C-alpha cells in the first residue's frame, strides 16, 4: 500500500529530538526553527512532558466524553489562569481545523445565520467550513464551496461594515497575525473596529489563535495586545507540544445546550495530560518572557543583514521578507547549515517558528548562516 502523495518532502528522516534540536537517521543534528508548523512550544521531548504523558498512559489513556474526566477541568482552570480569559467556556477537540469548524458551527447556531466573513490571505484549516473560509481556491473542493463566505482585505474596516449591514453574517473570522499567509498584522484600531462592529450587528467575532496562541507572540494570545474581547478563540498547535489537541474558548454570553457540539477523541485523558504539562512548563520556565526577550535579540541581530525587505510578526512568530523567493535559501539553510525554517504563501517570506525555549546562541547560528548565504 502506498501513501497518498499530498506533500513535497525534504529528504530528511527524523528519529529523535531534544529541546530545539532534531536528529535524523544518519545522526545529523538540525536546529529546529520551525517547530513542525509552530507545534513544538516547550521543546522536543521535554522531560516533564514525557513524564506526564507516560504516567497518564499507565493509568488510563482514553474513555469517551460520556463520563466525567476531571483532567478537562484542570486544563480549563490552568488555561484560565495562564491566559487571563476569565469566564470563558472551554470546548476541547483535536486540531486547529476542527477548532475553527466548531467555532463557525457554534456561531451559526447562535445567530441563526450562515454567511461568514473571512480575511484575504487567511488560513483556517482544511475541513469543510474552515477551508471555505481559507483564501486559497486550490484547496477548496466543490463540496466546500457551497459555504457562503465573503473575503475582505486586512485593514479594510469599511468593507466589513458594508457586509455586516445586511444582517446575514454569523461570524467574522480572522488571524491576528496571519500564519501561512506570511505574518501580516493590521493595527489595533482595525481589530478594535472589528470587535465593535461585530457587537453592533450581533455577529460573532472569532479570533483564530491556532498558530499564534500559547505564548508564541510573547503574549499568551496575540489578540491581547489589541485589547479586544473575541466571542470565540480557536487554538491548537502549541497546546500539546506535538500531541494532537485543539479547542475553542467561548464567551459566557454564548449558552451551551446538549447536542450543539460533540467529539469522540477531543479532551481525552492523554491530550489533557499533554496540555497540562505544556501550561505548567510555560509558567515555571517563564517562556512568554523568554519569547519576548529572544525576539528582541533577534531584531537587534538581524539589522543590517543584506537583502531583507521587512521583518514581520512578534515574539517567536516571525517572518523575514526578501525581494526574491526564498526557496533556495531555505534549502541551503537545511542541507548546508542544518537549520530548519518554514515557508509561507508569500514566496518571499522565510518563517521562524521555533520552540519557546530558544536561546540567543541559536539565533546567532541562524544569523551566521544567513550572512553566508546572502
Amino acid at each position: 500500500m502506498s501513501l497518498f502523495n499530498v506533500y513535497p518532502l525534504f529528504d530528511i528522516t527524523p528519529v529523535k529530538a531534544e529541546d530545539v534540536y532534531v536528529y535524523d537517521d544518519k545522526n545529523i543534528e538540525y536546529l529546529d526553527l520551525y517547530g513542525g508548523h509552530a507545534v513544538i512550544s516547550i521543546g522536543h521531548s521535554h522531560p516533564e512532558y514525557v513524564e506526564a504523558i507516560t504516567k497518564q498512559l499507565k493509568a488510563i489513556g482514553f474513555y469517551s466524553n460520556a463520563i466525567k474526566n476531571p483532567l478537562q477541568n484542570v486544563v480549563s482552570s490552568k488555561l484560565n489562569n495562564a491566559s487571563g480569559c476569565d469566564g470563558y467556556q472551554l470546548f476541547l477537540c483535536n486540531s486547529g481545523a476542527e477548532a475553527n469548524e466548531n467555532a463557525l458551527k457554534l456561531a451559526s447556531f447562535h445567530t441563526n445565520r450562515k454567511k461568514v466573513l473571512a480575511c484575504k490571505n487567511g488560513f483556517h484549516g482544511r475541513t469543510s467550513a474552515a477551508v471555505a473560509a481559507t483564501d486559497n481556491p486550490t484547496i477548496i473542493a466543490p463540496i466546500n464551496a457551497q459555504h457562503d463566505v465573503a473575503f475582505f482585505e486586512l485593514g479594510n474596516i469599511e468593507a466589513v461594515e458594508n457586509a455586516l449591514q445586511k444582517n446575514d453574517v454569523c461570524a467574522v473570522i480572522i488571524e491576528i497575525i496571519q500564519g501561512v499567509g506570511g505574518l501580516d498584522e493590521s493595527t489595533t484600531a482595525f481589530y478594535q473596529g472589528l470587535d465593535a462592529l461585530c457587537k453592533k450587528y450581533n455577529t460573532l467575532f472569532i479570533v483564530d489563535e491556532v498558530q499564534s496562541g500559547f505564548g508564541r507572540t510573547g503574549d499568551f494570545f496575540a489578540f491581547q495586545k489589541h485589547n479586544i474581547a473575541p466571542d470565540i478563540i480557536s487554538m491548537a498547535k502549541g497546546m500539546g507540544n506535538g500531541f494532537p489537541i485543539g479547542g475553542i474558548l467561548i464567551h459566557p454570553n454564548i449558552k451551551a445546550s446538549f447536542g450543539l457540539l460533540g467529539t469522540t477523541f477531543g479532551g481525552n485523558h492523554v491530550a489533557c495530560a499533554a496540555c497540562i504539562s505544556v501550561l505548567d512548563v510555560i509558567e515555571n520556565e517563564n517562556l512568554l518572557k523568554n519569547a519576548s526577550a529572544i525576539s528582541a535579540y533577534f531584531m537587534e541581530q538581524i539589522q543590517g543583514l543584506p537583502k531583507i525587505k521587512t521583518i514581520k510578526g512578534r515574539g517567536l512568530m516571525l517572518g523575514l521578507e526578501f525581494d526574491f523567493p526564498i526557496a533556495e535559501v531555505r534549502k541551503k539553510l537545511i542541507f548546508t547549515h542544518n537549520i530548519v525554517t518554514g515557508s509561507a504563501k508569500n514566496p518571499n517570506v522565510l518563517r521562524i517558528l521555533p520552540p519557546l525555549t530558544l536561546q540567543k546562541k541559536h539565533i546567532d547560528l541562524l544569523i551566521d548562516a544567513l550572512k553566508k548565504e546572502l
Side-chain angles (χ1 to χ4, degrees):
M1 183 183 292
S2 64
L3 299 177
F4 196 55
N5 191 13
V6 294
Y7 292 116
L9 302 177
F10 288 110
D11 188 17
I12 298 172
T13 306
V15 294
K16 64 178 181 178
E18 183 178 357
D19 195 21
V20 297
Y21 289 100
V22 173
Y23 302 86
D24 72 4
D25 54 354
K26 302 177 182 65
N27 205 33
I28 297 173
E29 180 184 82
Y30 296 85
L31 175 61
D32 183 11
L33 298 185
Y34 193 54
H37 303 302
V39 166
I40 303 301
S41 50
I42 61 171
H44 293 279
S45 304
H46 192 290
E48 292 181 30
Y49 171 82
V50 173
E51 182 182 2
I53 291 178
T54 303
K55 182 179 178 181
Q56 187 57 53
L57 274 171
K58 289 180 177 179
I60 179 172
F62 173 82
Y63 204 77
S64 81
N65 284 300
I67 49 84
K68 290 182 178 180
N69 180 353
L71 291 174
Q72 294 180 358
N73 299 102
V74 177
V75 171
S76 66
S77 178
K78 288 181 177 288
L79 187 53
N80 183 84
N81 294 338
S83 69
C85 293
D86 294 333
Y88 278 75
Q89 305 159 92
L90 173 64
F91 175 78
L92 290 168
C93 53
N94 307 285
S95 69
E98 192 177 331
N100 285 325
E101 198 76 30
N102 281 288
L104 291 166
K105 182 179 182 181
L106 188 57
S108 185
F109 268 131
H110 184 75
T111 62
N112 200 31
R113 302 169 183 170
K114 65 178 183 178
K115 188 170 184 176
V116 173
L117 284 188
C119 192
K120 290 184 179 178
N121 216 34
F123 185 94
H124 301 290
R126 296 177 183 271
T127 54
S128 182
V131 78
T134 291
D135 185 23
N136 185 351
T138 63
I139 63 172
I140 299 175
I143 196 170
N144 308 129
Q146 66 182 311
H147 292 283
D148 190 359
V149 180
F151 293 92
F152 60 90
E153 293 281 354
L154 182 66
N156 191 341
I157 198 70
E158 293 81 8
V160 174
E161 180 154 29
N162 289 339
L164 292 182
Q165 285 174 344
K166 299 174 184 177
N167 292 309
D168 61 350
V169 175
C170 71
V172 175
I173 184 168
I174 191 169
E175 301 161 278
I176 298 298
I177 302 174
Q178 295 185 328
V180 173
L183 286 300
D184 289 312
E185 181 175 14
S186 190
T187 63
T188 293
F190 173 69
Y191 297 115
Q192 290 183 351
L194 282 183
D195 194 12
L197 284 175
C198 286
K199 289 176 171 60
K200 179 179 178 181
Y201 292 102
N202 298 313
T203 300
L204 294 198
F205 185 24
I206 301 172
V207 169
D208 180 341
E209 293 271 1
V210 167
Q211 190 172 123
S212 55
F214 272 63
R216 179 148 297 279
T217 65
D219 297 312
F220 194 86
F221 288 124
F223 77 83
Q224 291 170 323
K225 172 187 174 183
H226 302 295
N227 193 28
I228 55 178
D231 295 295
I232 303 177
I233 304 155
S234 59
M235 53 196 178
K237 290 187 183 295
M239 287 183 74
N241 201 50
F243 194 93
I245 181 172
I248 54 176
L249 296 181
I250 305 161
H251 195 278
N253 289 341
I254 302 170
K255 303 304 178 186
S257 64
F258 294 150
L260 280 186
L261 304 177
T263 175
T264 296
F265 296 107
N268 66 73
H269 296 75
V270 181
C272 286
C275 187
I276 290 166
S277 70
V278 166
L279 289 167
D280 285 344
V281 170
I282 286 175
E283 179 183 6
N284 296 336
E285 298 186 9
N286 296 311
L287 293 187
L288 271 66
K289 183 177 179 181
N290 187 65
S292 296
I294 299 302
S295 181
Y297 180 76
F298 178 91
M299 295 298 186
E300 292 172 3
Q301 298 303 308
I302 208 77
Q303 298 301 322
L305 203 66
K307 302 182 182 180
I308 291 181
K309 178 182 176 183
T310 313
I311 305 170
K312 298 180 173 182
R314 285 189 272 135
L316 292 178
M317 183 176 181
L318 298 169
L320 303 181
E321 185 174 18
F322 297 86
D323 285 323
F324 56 88
I326 54 86
E328 289 305 313
V329 171
R330 188 174 173 229
K331 287 179 184 177
K332 287 281 189 180
L333 288 174
I334 295 176
F335 294 111
T336 301
H337 303 279
N338 299 334
I339 298 175
V340 182
T341 58
S343 59
K345 183 179 178 183
N346 180 342
N348 294 358
V349 171
L350 186 75
R351 278 202 291 169
I352 312 296
L353 301 164
L356 306 184
T357 54
L358 197 73
Q359 301 298 315
K360 290 180 180 179
K361 62 183 179 180
H362 304 128
I363 295 297
D364 293 340
L365 292 172
L366 173 65
I367 299 299
D368 289 344
L370 285 173
K371 283 180 179 177
K372 291 175 182 176
E373 296 307 327
L374 297 175

